[in-house]
Amino acid sequence: MTLALQGTGVSSGIAIGPVHIMRRDALEIIEYTLEEERIEEEIHRFHSALEMAKQHLQRIREQIPVHTRSDIVAFIDTHLLMLDDSTLSKVPVQLIQQHRCNAEWALKLQRDALVKVFDEMDDPYLRTRRDDVDHVVNNVLRILLNSPVYHQVGHHQEHRLTGHIIIADDLSPADAVLMQHQGIGGFVTERGGPTSHTAILARSLGIPAIVGLHHAQAFLSDHETIIIDGRRGTLIGSPDTQILQHYLFAKRQEQLLQEEHRRNRDLPAVSLDGTPISLNANIELPEDLHLTLQTSAEGVGLYRTEYLFMNRDEPPTEEEQFEVYRTIVERLDGKPLTIRTLDLGADKQIDGSTPNNLTNPALGLRAIRLCLKEPALFFPQLRAIYRASAYGPVRLMLPMISSTQELIQILRHLDSVRHQLSNHAIPFDPALPIGGMIEVPAAAINAEMLGEYLDFFSIGTNDLIQYTLAIDRIDDEVNYLYDPLHPAVLKLIGMTVAAGNKLGIPVTMCGEMAGDMRYTRLLLGLGLRNFSMHPNSIAEVKRIIAQSDVYLLAEQVTRLLHATSHEAFHTALNALTALH
Ligand code: PEP
Ligand code: MG
């Protein structure tokens, strides 16, 4: 009988193939007390296990093909560094001494303490860093317990895994790299989230993957044929002929589409009626640039710098930031880099801690408000951005702007930064464009007034939707109300575009809506001509643009924005999405 299971699709693509279950027995860790004279011996045993785990990872690192991208190797290096970190190399030794306990128990205590910290984090990205702790610690525990180390994916298996779909409770980034090298068709894990390193790697490596599919191993057996759809997160077991045919056809269509995207890579984004559209990439880490450079992105429309400030005790210095920004500018080789100033607070805390729960953090001291309150945080970044602008086109973008007073204050700061740099004969671009994000309803409504102080607008729909509809974007309970197509949201986008057109300043959109092909026609109809999105979405959005007549769409959108009833709105919306 056909079986359908649902997980979280994290790397799109359809894979059809036999199952290979990677089973690891749960680690059973028991505590025992040591005689005083055995403590040194136990510490030695712990150190040897650490050393073996390192050697094991180093061997995997050496097996990565030479042409593999440096950021993929970096994932393995992160695990190697973690093994050297005192939290894993020294604290367990202290615990062995303090509790006179066995090494496994000490390591387990330390793992539990670390995992607890990660679990309490509000940021989903940081919360998944607990997976890294788990992967690294479990490998050491397996060595200590003498259980077969999990990496069944050794070279001896080269051919056995070709075309197989791996089902595991969890996979480390190292596993993903090796398995791709061995030609697996895709993988499914019972645990993990969309922002885990393994999920990110699957996307970079182009392996169809599903995570968080609980009990997958219990439902499947080795060698049976399954289908996975990495976009939708669906797994189908024992498919009948009809289903199999359907997916074989879908897989072929997908391949054809990929080929079309590759062929069209260097074509400009132009609509059916000849309107040029600018497509740009969003990046979070400098490593994301590699993916961007493989697309036809005209530049980076949003560089979220906050990730540079996370997971560390001290914020990066001006010099460190300058080096990072300059490197990206140089790698972009003449394409513009839009650097957004620090957008910390609410869901993005520097140390991953829970925001002050006495207030409503999304409405509190975050983003530009925090920067204006903490000049010691803001000024080094502003100086670093200006300094990087001497090496190629840079644009500075301000998050969460809500009033002209804020802008006036920031512009004064920028003046003083320019003076400081000039006085020290430090080169920078004096005409560096300053843009403001429109992500608070007040900013959209008042865009005309704000635009007097700015060179461009960039609509942040993720926050604009949250604030317009009063829905916490990270609260699962109200997620169902998060609606990019809400008439109020569309009106605010329309108002921002109109204000930009009136003032003659470009309007970009860099929220998730810009990269969702379901909304491309609507946004074109609303007058949007500049989009910034995850690099992986660029090809699809470009394809929709090539099939769209923006004048026809604009007429439909006018009807949509003037709809006075729910029915009229939805009729206009349906007509619009059906249109080319
Ligand atoms: C947005 O709010 O749409 C946006 C792009 O900013 P972030 O998602 O980083 O808050
Ligand atoms: Mg935002």
Side-chain angles (χ1 to χ4, degrees):
M1 208 176 60
T2 302
L3 164 89
L5 300 173
Q6 189 65 36
T8 307
V10 290
S11 177
S12 59
I14 292 169
I16 304 173
V19 164
H20 178 92
I21 297 188
M22 290 205 152
R23 218 179 288 283
R24 299 188 269 205
D25 297 328
L27 293 171
E28 203 175 315
I29 297 154
I30 0 178
E31 178 186 13
Y32 49 87
T33 311
L34 302 167
E35 306 286 325
E36 192 67 41
E37 57 274 17
R38 277 201 51 208
I39 289 182
E40 272 318 300
E41 197 186 311
E42 193 64 3
I43 293 172
H44 177 71
R45 193 168 76 87
F46 173 67
H47 281 146
S48 314
L50 270 189
E51 197 45 46
M52 268 179 80
K54 267 191 255 176
Q55 283 171 9
H56 179 68
L57 270 182
Q58 252 140 9
R59 273 200 306 277
I60 290 176
R61 200 180 183 288
E62 282 154 21
Q63 280 183 48
I64 299 176
V66 266
H67 60 265
T68 305
R69 294 177 5 218
S70 57
D71 53 325
I72 290 181
V73 179
F75 282 109
I76 312 284
D77 287 342
T78 308
H79 283 198
L80 276 165
L81 282 174
M82 286 171 73
L83 284 169
D84 272 332
D85 195 274
S86 60
T87 47
L88 287 184
S89 61
K90 297 213 170 73
V91 178
V93 172
Q94 289 160 4
L95 292 171
I96 295 174
Q97 288 162 332
Q98 268 166 26
H99 300 285
R100 286 187 27 214
C101 65
N102 50 322
E104 295 88 338
W105 190 253
L107 191 54
K108 178 198 172 304
L109 288 179
Q110 176 64 350
R111 180 195 59 193
D112 294 349
L114 291 171
V115 161
K116 187 164 176 283
V117 174
F118 280 99
D119 278 345
E120 281 168 2
M121 290 180 178
D122 254 16
D123 181 342
Y125 176 82
L126 291 179
R127 217 183 301 130
T128 57
R129 297 284 73 83
R130 63 161 285 173
D131 295 348
D132 291 309
V133 176
D134 254 357
H135 291 150
V136 169
V137 169
N138 286 353
N139 266 347
V140 183
L141 283 175
R142 286 201 170 81
I143 294 167
L144 286 168
L145 291 167
N146 252 339
S147 91
V149 177
Y150 178 50
H151 293 282
Q152 299 170 26
V153 241
H155 27 243
H156 55 282
Q157 284 207 343
E158 292 264 307
H159 303 296
R160 270 189 47 205
L161 293 182
T162 309
H164 280 71
I165 298 172
I166 310 300
I167 312 287
D169 61 344
D170 197 8
L171 291 172
S172 71
D175 298 326
V177 172
L178 277 182
M179 292 191 312
Q180 194 251 2
H181 185 39
Q182 294 165 10
I184 62 153
F187 70 76
V188 176
T189 61
E190 296 191 345
R191 294 177 31 208
T195 48
S196 68
H197 276 158
T198 310
I200 296 170
L201 263 178
R203 286 194 286 277
S204 293
L205 297 167
I207 310 174
I210 301 176
V211 301
L213 208 163
H214 307 293
H215 312 298
Q217 298 188 65
F219 287 106
L220 300 166
S221 41
D222 272 328
H223 312 299
E224 74 169 288
T225 297
I226 59 164
I227 300 168
I228 60 167
D229 180 341
R231 185 191 291 275
R232 294 188 177 77
T234 319
L235 181 155
I236 297 170
S238 314
D240 61 26
T241 326
Q242 223 176 347
I243 294 177
L244 202 55
Q245 290 302 334
H246 169 82
Y247 274 97
L248 281 168
F249 179 74
K251 189 173 160 69
R252 181 72 195 128
Q253 291 296 103
E254 207 172 60
Q255 281 163 346
L256 290 174
L257 202 60
Q258 290 306 328
E259 281 163 25
E260 186 186 327
H261 288 164
R262 266 194 293 278
R263 275 197 309 276
N264 295 343
R265 203 198 86 126
D266 297 323
L267 293 181
V270 182
S271 68
L272 210 51
D273 56 284
T275 308
I277 308 293
S278 171
L279 299 184
N280 296 274
N282 291 354
I283 62 169
E284 284 165 5
L285 302 167
E287 295 91 271
D288 299 339
L289 203 59
H290 181 92
L291 208 56
T292 303
L293 294 173
Q294 288 175 343
T295 70
S296 56
E298 284 183 20
V300 170
L302 165 64
Y303 168 29
R304 291 182 162 103
T305 55
E306 43 281 4
Y307 290 94
L308 209 59
F309 289 69
M310 290 176 177
N311 280 339
R312 51 192 297 162
D313 297 330
E314 296 290 329
T317 60
E318 172 186 330
E319 210 49 39
E320 184 182 343
Q321 292 186 61
F322 164 64
E323 283 306 329
V324 173
Y325 304 154
R326 183 177 61 92
T327 310
I328 303 179
V329 172
E330 287 180 344
R331 283 187 65 198
L332 279 167
D333 198 19
K335 294 178 176 171
L337 169 65
T338 311
I339 307 180
R340 179 175 71 184
T341 59
L342 203 52
D343 185 14
L344 283 177
D347 56 326
K348 288 176 278 198
Q349 296 291 314
I350 240 180
D351 56 358
S353 62
T354 313
N356 179 357
N357 53 14
L358 292 176
T359 59
N360 186 338
L363 304 181
L365 192 63
R366 59 167 291 203
I368 200 69
R369 302 168 182 182
L370 179 70
C371 286
L372 285 172
K373 184 148 184 267
E374 307 268 353
L377 198 62
F378 200 27
F379 272 78
Q381 178 168 49
L382 295 179
R383 275 194 298 267
I385 295 174
Y386 265 103
R387 285 173 61 193
S389 71
Y391 296 82
V394 171
R395 295 151 31 111
L396 186 148
M397 188 157 80
L398 305 159
M400 271 280 286
I401 295 295
S402 59
S403 73
T404 43
Q405 286 91 318
E406 256 169 0
L407 280 181
I408 293 168
Q409 204 183 344
I410 298 161
L411 292 183
R412 242 187 269 131
H413 287 340
L414 295 179
D415 260 348
S416 97
V417 166
R418 281 191 297 263
H419 271 102
Q420 284 169 12
L421 295 175
S422 299
N423 289 345
H424 289 88
I426 298 173
F428 65 92
D429 171 10
L432 178 134
I434 315 292
M437 286 196 66
I438 305 294
E439 43 186 354
V440 176
I445 296 166
N446 202 27
E448 250 183 78
M449 218 183 261
L450 296 179
E452 294 291 341
Y453 301 89
L454 295 168
D455 299 305
F456 66 93
F457 289 142
S458 190
I459 307 174
T461 49
N462 307 342
D463 277 315
L464 186 62
I465 298 168
Q466 138 163 292
Y467 293 127
T468 306
L469 305 180
I471 292 156
D472 188 339
R473 65 193 254 196
I474 54 168
D475 186 343
D476 289 348
E477 300 278 353
V478 287
N479 242 340
Y480 72 104
L481 292 170
Y482 192 88
D483 179 15
L485 295 176
H486 193 291
V489 172
L490 300 186
K491 281 182 188 162
L492 291 175
I493 296 172
M495 287 169 83
T496 309
V497 174
N501 289 345
K502 187 161 172 200
L503 297 167
I505 64 172
V507 181
T508 300
M509 179 179 285
C510 61
E512 290 306 300
M513 212 176 157
D516 190 327
M517 58 189 270
R518 289 173 301 174
Y519 308 133
T520 307
R521 290 196 181 97
L522 179 64
L523 296 173
L524 290 171
L526 279 163
L528 193 75
R529 299 293 178 260
N530 305 287
F531 294 65
S532 192
M533 61 195 77
H534 188 280
N536 281 348
S537 306
I538 289 181
E540 276 178 346
V541 170
K542 187 157 81 174
R543 190 172 61 87
I544 305 282
I545 291 170
Q547 299 166 351
S548 307
D549 179 327
V550 299
Y551 296 102
L552 218 58
L553 291 171
E555 277 171 30
Q556 290 286 342
V557 167
T558 309
R559 222 162 292 158
L560 184 77
L561 293 181
H562 288 100
T564 48
S565 69
H566 179 85
E567 284 72 28
F569 179 81
H570 284 278
T571 311
L573 193 62
N574 291 340
L576 186 71
T577 36
L579 256 192
H580 275 195

